[in-house]
Amino acid sequence: RMLWKADNATKAITKDPSTATPEQVQQVVTAYGRVAEQVPGTLWGGQAQFVIGAFHGARKEYDGARQAFAAVLQNYNQFPALCLRARIAIAKTYEAEDNWHEAVKEYREIADRHPWTKAGMEALLYIPVTYEKRQQPDAAKDAYERAIRIYSKLIPDAPTPEAGLQTKGYL
């Protein structure tokens, strides 16, 4: 109910975050921060914290966004899907800043911590593909070789036969 109230109270502001005044930004952070504080450890609290990060990201306030997403990772690690979304969002903020070095670290973290998810599998290939787009063939080759090693190690440990086949497909 609290999350719904925060959504309704800030609906006009969150539709176009780039035009929000500093007072409106504070209103959004306060509304969702209140949810996170009053229901800590719950999925609703984590979602509220995520909204704060997404709002900052939409405003191109990448440091603030990463801080909010880091709070999701720290305080809501019992919700793996939410943490995966936060890690992806962190990587995207680095990409938006054209800080590919830090983005690669985050994509590797996604692959390491969420290996059996679609995002985890795709992160391993996203890195070399992006190196190719950036015209860095040596880095792309190294990243492809790393992906091959990781996929090869994952296959024997697949939790299901389907997951093993899917991993072979990525390989």
Side-chain angles (χ1 to χ4, degrees):
R1 186 168 168 226
M2 291 174 60
L3 188 58
W4 177 82
K5 284 182 178 181
D7 287 343
N8 281 341
T10 61
K11 191 176 287 186
I13 303 167
T14 55
K15 279 188 180 181
D16 190 6
S18 63
T19 62
T21 66
E23 294 80 21
Q24 289 173 318
V25 170
Q26 189 56 48
Q27 181 184 352
V28 169
V29 171
T30 300
Y32 287 100
R34 192 175 309 125
V35 175
E37 287 173 13
Q38 291 184 3
V39 289
T42 66
L43 182 57
W44 300 283
Q47 288 173 333
Q49 189 66 49
F50 186 89
V51 169
I52 293 169
F55 185 77
H56 282 300
R59 291 183 47 77
K60 297 180 177 25
E61 298 168 350
Y62 300 122
D63 287 334
R66 284 191 291 269
Q67 288 174 1
F69 294 134
V72 170
L73 297 175
Q74 180 180 348
N75 300 323
Y76 301 95
N77 58 15
Q78 69 271 35
F79 303 109
L82 184 62
C83 288
L84 175 57
R85 287 177 48 213
R87 283 189 175 89
I88 292 168
I90 290 170
K92 294 295 182 190
T93 65
Y94 283 123
E95 278 193 82
E97 291 179 324
D98 199 31
N99 187 345
W100 181 240
H101 179 74
E102 290 300 318
V104 166
K105 287 181 187 178
E106 293 302 324
Y107 286 117
R108 286 183 177 158
E109 185 77 9
I110 291 165
D112 290 345
R113 291 192 178 261
H114 307 275
W116 299 111
T117 65
K118 183 177 182 198
M121 290 283 175
E122 290 177 351
L124 290 172
L125 290 180
Y126 183 75
I127 295 168
V129 167
T130 304
Y131 275 130
E132 286 178 339
K133 288 178 184 175
R134 296 170 65 90
Q135 300 181 351
Q136 295 176 291
D138 292 338
K141 180 180 178 270
D142 291 344
Y144 276 123
E145 289 172 354
R146 184 177 194 278
I148 289 168
R149 283 192 309 273
I150 292 171
Y151 288 140
S152 297
K153 287 180 184 176
L154 284 174
I155 292 170
D157 297 328
T160 66
E162 292 80 17
L165 286 174
Q166 184 179 17
T167 307
K168 285 181 183 179
Y170 281 104
L171 182 59

